[in-house]
Amino acid sequence: MKYMVLVLIIVSYFMANLFQNRLSASLKGRIYPANLFQVCWMLLAILVFTVVGQAGMGGLHFSSYTVLMGTLAGICTTAGGMCLLGAMALGPLSLTVLIFSMYVIVAPVLSIVFLKEKVTFCQAVGTCLILGVLVLSNYSKEEGEGRKSRLWWLLCVGSITGTGLSNYIMKVHQYRMPNQDVWEYSIVSYGAGGICAAILALIFYRKDKSRSGRPGYRFTKKDFFGPAVGMAIAEGIANLGNLYNVSRLPAIVLYPVSQLGTLMMTVLFGLIVLKEKLNQVSILCLVLGTAAIILMNF
């Protein structure tokens, strides 16, 4: 069951990327609509979580521990996302995404050190292969050359730290309360993330308005509201799947494999749907990715 849920998580993340890309194509350099997009889909997810959770046996009960951990996770997620946006605005895109993808090792390392999770030799090798695939798929020699600003580096580190810590906080919560407060944790974490995103949206909106002659963002069904609904469904499913699996799979399997699986689905989507040509890098990534997934089971 846990591996079926892992596949569902990967598919959900892939779909979320498609919805996010739809929004990104309409931004034209603006940041505040991305924050409002996050507020919108998180509110939709919170509404569903609240209705389903309240209808369940016993209803919703928010423990102080769940409120604390959920709040911290929501803040870390938003901070990591904003650092990523800032880094992409200041530096090379592919290199920024490459560095950001290293967040997958934060939760596993912290889980090994503080939660005493066991790691097999095959899983360690598989993780190295996953990191290799991430490097191959995102690295650009041209973008790797040249001096990068100190702020860009700090934002890259912030994106890794924020996103990685949010995953680890979820792990710690379910380590202490396995299979408990799933709906409550989701509501609190999305609520805290939504509040942070709303504050950032106001800040960036004021900055954008100060630029004379720039037209305002058009909130359309095609580019904003439709993708927001899809994002709420996809991210909500992935979140619940992670909460289910985080107490059943070691962090070194759950997070790297989720990232790798999403990447491999993206490559296959490009080949099958977009009719992109299969190059040597794509072939190598698919082969190494498949080997990594196999190794993660031993």
Side-chain angles (χ1 to χ4, degrees):
M1 182 65 179
K2 58 188 177 183
Y3 292 109
M4 292 178 61
V5 172
L6 183 57
V7 171
L8 182 61
I9 292 170
I10 292 170
V11 174
S12 297
Y13 278 145
F14 170 73
M15 295 302 299
N17 286 344
L18 295 182
F19 295 127
Q20 184 70 53
N21 289 338
R22 166 66 71 178
L23 170 79
S24 299
S26 69
L27 293 180
K28 297 180 180 178
R30 302 178 184 88
I31 296 178
Y32 75 89
N35 300 129
L36 292 176
F37 181 75
Q38 186 176 15
V39 173
C40 185
W41 74 255
M42 282 187 168
L43 285 176
L44 290 172
I46 288 172
L47 177 61
V48 174
F49 290 156
T50 302
V51 172
V52 176
Q54 190 62 41
M57 293 183 60
L60 296 171
H61 300 282
F62 294 87
S63 67
S64 57
Y65 182 71
T66 295
V67 172
L68 172 62
M69 299 300 280
T71 300
L72 289 175
I75 293 173
C76 286
T77 299
T78 303
M82 288 310 302
C83 285
L84 176 61
L85 285 174
M88 289 191 295
L90 291 177
L93 179 61
S94 65
L95 189 58
T96 300
V97 173
L98 167 60
I99 295 175
F100 168 70
S101 65
M102 297 299 111
Y103 80 86
V104 298
I105 68 172
V106 174
V109 169
L110 292 177
S111 297
I112 292 169
V113 174
F114 296 107
L115 302 181
K116 309 302 180 184
E117 283 197 342
K118 303 298 182 182
V119 178
T120 67
F121 174 76
C122 289
Q123 288 171 347
V125 174
T127 302
C128 292
L129 288 179
I130 290 173
L131 296 178
V133 171
L134 295 176
V135 171
L136 284 171
S137 60
N138 290 291
Y139 181 70
S140 170
K141 184 178 180 180
E142 292 76 15
E143 291 187 355
E145 298 173 349
R147 184 166 181 162
K148 312 299 186 301
S149 69
R150 181 178 298 178
L151 178 58
W152 177 77
W153 281 110
L154 289 174
L155 289 171
C156 286
V157 172
S159 68
I160 295 171
T161 303
T163 307
L165 281 177
S166 68
N167 288 337
Y168 176 66
I169 290 169
M170 177 187 287
K171 180 75 179 180
V172 172
H173 178 268
Q174 285 297 292
Y175 180 82
R176 178 171 172 176
M177 302 177 66
N179 303 317
Q180 299 179 53
D181 283 12
V182 170
W183 301 110
E184 291 85 348
Y185 179 90
S186 301
I187 292 168
V188 173
S189 61
Y190 279 3
I195 291 172
C196 292
I199 295 172
L200 291 169
L202 179 60
I203 294 172
F204 287 112
Y205 175 75
R206 288 178 175 176
K207 287 186 176 181
D208 191 75
K209 289 291 287 184
S210 65
R211 300 178 182 178
S212 59
R214 186 172 187 176
Y217 179 79
R218 293 185 59 192
F219 294 89
T220 64
K221 178 181 178 181
K222 177 182 177 182
D223 295 327
F224 188 90
F225 295 107
V229 173
M231 192 78 170
I233 296 172
E235 284 286 345
I237 292 173
N239 178 75
L240 294 175
N242 280 323
L243 282 166
Y244 176 86
N245 265 354
V246 78
S247 61
R248 293 172 172 84
L249 288 174
I252 199 170
V253 173
L254 177 58
Y255 298 116
V257 172
S258 297
Q259 177 75 3
L260 173 65
T262 305
L263 174 62
M264 292 179 69
M265 278 202 68
T266 303
V267 172
L268 292 173
F269 178 80
L271 295 173
I272 298 171
V273 179
L274 303 180
K275 306 300 182 181
E276 295 177 351
K277 293 184 178 180
L278 189 65
N279 55 39
Q280 292 181 342
V281 174
S282 298
I283 295 173
L284 186 57
C285 287
L286 290 173
V287 172
L288 292 179
T290 302
I293 292 174
I294 293 172
L295 286 171
M296 284 302 196
N297 291 281
F298 296 96

